[in-house]
Amino acid sequence: MKKSKEGLMTERKIKRRNFISFAFFGAYIASTYTGFRWLYKSPDETPDITAGAHKPLRRALNKTELFFRRLTFNENHLVKTYPRSMAVQQIRHNSDIGSAGELPPENWKLQVKRISGETLQITLNELMKLPKTEITYDFKCVEGWDQISHWEGVSFRDFMAHYSLEAESGMGYVGLETPDQQYYVGIDMPSAMHPQTLLAYQMNDELLNGKHGQPLRLIIPVKYGIKNLKRIGTITFSNSRPRDYWAERGYDYYSGL
């Protein structure tokens, strides 16, 4: 049975559309493969504050940071919080680089290095005399998991004000390191001064234990977990990026949410 003229035209249109669709799909696959192959073979960045990523990828990460810092970050925009009752009782222990084991508060002092050269030495008891701030929020890890958890401590803003660190707050970055200097992060000052950033010494109304940063850790809800340094030993201030453990291993320096 012969096809009508109209049927033949319809069949040709379908074939032509299929051909165009497959051509575009093939071109997309080819260009994607070429792009990934180019990125894979591109040179690595020169090791410095950041390392471990290909140069084009690092440039893209830096551009993304500028976008978030200039256009989307707002210190008045608060991370969503939750009722205290939603916080988990068993907070996940994911890593203890630089914070393994117990460190009784009596054997610890926070070292704060001012830009004048003076170093403040602050005990946990002194920090606990400052106004307490609490937060229950969804802690997010770059590995893909998240967990609603409850933390208590000193607002970083209150801490800076109490110890007259106004000049330091005008710097571009905060550097934090564990007492053994095995883990370290660099935080842009606007994120550090965000109203929800804490120097935390308690979780679920109990002092931190050896798995979660005893005796003092950073809780910074606008960042992924890799920036939430456990067991703070020293705090420094600078106008250039401080060293950062995971940025030296190819991760995004900013790591903002």
Side-chain angles (χ1 to χ4, degrees):
M1 182 174 173
K2 284 188 175 182
K3 294 182 181 178
S4 66
K5 186 176 181 181
E6 185 177 328
L8 288 171
M9 290 179 65
T10 300
E11 186 176 335
R12 289 192 190 105
K13 286 181 180 179
I14 292 173
K15 287 181 178 179
R16 184 167 62 250
R17 287 173 182 171
N18 286 342
F19 174 79
I20 293 172
S21 296
F22 279 112
F24 272 116
F25 181 72
Y28 171 76
I29 294 295
S31 62
T32 301
Y33 172 79
T34 301
F36 275 111
R37 186 175 177 81
W38 170 78
L39 180 60
Y40 180 77
K41 291 192 170 184
S42 64
D44 291 339
E45 63 181 317
T46 303
D48 190 27
I49 294 300
T50 60
H54 293 288
K55 283 185 177 180
L57 178 58
R58 181 60 65 189
R59 284 197 295 269
L61 290 172
N62 289 339
K63 292 291 185 182
T64 302
E65 174 181 343
L66 290 175
F67 173 80
F68 277 103
R69 291 188 65 174
R70 293 176 179 176
L71 299 178
T72 67
F73 181 84
N74 186 333
E75 66 174 16
N76 296 317
H77 177 70
L78 302 180
V79 171
K80 182 180 179 180
T81 57
Y82 298 84
R84 172 70 185 275
S85 59
M86 293 183 65
V88 298
Q89 293 304 304
Q90 296 297 322
I91 295 178
R92 178 168 175 165
H93 171 239
N94 204 47
S95 174
D96 56 8
I97 303 170
S99 60
E102 300 288 326
L103 179 57
E106 58 269 22
N107 297 337
W108 170 92
K109 284 186 180 179
L110 175 63
Q111 313 288 317
V112 181
K113 298 182 179 181
R114 306 191 62 162
I115 57 177
S116 65
E118 176 190 6
T119 298
L120 304 178
Q121 299 192 44
I122 304 168
T123 67
L124 183 62
N125 284 336
E126 290 170 331
L127 289 173
M128 293 180 71
K129 291 177 182 178
L130 301 183
K132 180 187 283 190
T133 300
E134 303 182 17
I135 187 170
T136 303
Y137 81 106
D138 196 12
F139 184 102
K140 296 181 183 294
C141 179
V142 293
E143 295 175 352
W145 60 268
D146 61 286
Q147 192 175 55
I148 297 175
S149 50
H150 180 81
W151 306 90
E152 305 140 66
V154 180
S155 161
F156 194 80
R157 278 186 174 185
D158 291 346
F159 167 79
M160 295 288 283
H162 179 81
Y163 286 100
S164 301
L165 297 167
E166 290 83 6
E168 285 73 15
S169 67
M171 307 295 281
Y173 294 92
V174 180
L176 303 98
E177 298 192 359
T178 55
D180 62 6
Q181 300 181 323
Q182 293 301 303
Y183 197 86
Y184 37 89
V185 299
I187 306 289
D188 57 288
M189 187 62 74
S191 295
M193 295 294 283
H194 187 273
Q196 292 176 311
T197 300
L198 300 183
L199 297 177
Y201 49 76
Q202 287 183 326
M203 59 180 189
N204 295 333
D205 296 322
E206 295 184 0
L207 291 175
L208 297 178
N209 58 42
K211 290 184 177 181
H212 295 288
Q214 183 188 51
L216 188 75
R217 66 168 295 160
L218 182 69
I219 288 295
I220 181 164
V222 296
K223 301 288 188 184
Y224 280 105
I226 56 176
K227 291 288 191 177
N228 288 242
L229 180 136
K230 297 178 183 178
R231 188 167 292 166
I232 305 171
T234 61
I235 298 178
T236 59
F237 307 92
S238 65
N239 278 324
S240 58
R241 285 176 166 180
R243 65 184 191 141
D244 187 277
Y245 184 89
W246 286 109
E248 291 177 354
R249 288 157 177 80
Y251 282 70
D252 178 22
Y253 192 95
Y254 188 63
S255 295
L257 292 168

